[in-house]
Structures are given as C-alpha cells and as structure tokens.
Amino acid sequence: QLPRQLPLPDGFRRHLLRAEDAELVNAGWEHGPSASLPVIRQCIEERPSFAVSSPSGELAGWALTRHDGSIGVVVVLPKYRG
C-alpha cells in the first residue's frame, strides 16, 4: 500500500499552481497544441492543479486537473527526473 504522501527530496515543496505559472506549464508540455495556453490557464484557475518546486523555487514538475476531473498535462522537467 502506498503512503498517502510520498516524501520529497530535501528543500522541495508541494503547492498549487498559480495562474502566472500557465505560460511555463504550457511551454513545458511537449504534446500540447499551439493553442493550449487558454486551456491550461483555465485548468489552473478553475480546478486544483499541483506542482513541486525545487529548493531554488523553480517548478520541477506539475499535474493539472482537467475539465472532466482526470489528471493530465503531467510533466517532470528532465533535470529533475531520477
């Protein structure tokens, strides 16, 4: 059985995405269409969407809650994959 919350490396933190993160999230989503920014912004503003930030505050990864309640646009930036 998985723990309710997996531990993060030292200094990393979990948090909700903010509307101002939408452009970075859109740029990091390699499967998105060129018109995906409004959809990503809507997901962040209207539903819980989560991120993990590095000790320096850089977004390391994220997951959005989509319009149908599914989790999508799941990305971990390459330098944080282990």
Side-chain angles (χ1 to χ4, degrees), residues 2 4 8 16-17 21-22 29-30 32 36 38 48-49 52 61 70 74:
L2 289 174
R4 292 186 62 82
L8 292 174
L16 292 173
L17 283 168
D21 298 323
W29 187 35
E30 63 188 51
S36 60
S49 294
V52 172
S70 65
V74 178

Side-chain angles (χ1 to χ4, degrees), residues 14-62:
R14 294 174 188 85
H15 58 90
L16 292 173
L17 283 168
R18 301 167 301 158
E20 52 265 28
D21 298 323
E23 288 189 29
L24 178 63
V25 169
N26 187 59
W29 187 35
E30 63 188 51
H31 304 293
S34 60
S36 60
L37 181 59
V39 174
I40 287 174
R41 184 171 279 120
Q42 182 181 32
C43 287
I44 292 171
E45 291 175 346
E46 296 181 2
R47 292 172 289 282
S49 294
F50 303 94
V52 172
S53 288
S54 72
S56 69
E58 177 184 29
L59 288 179
W62 51 82

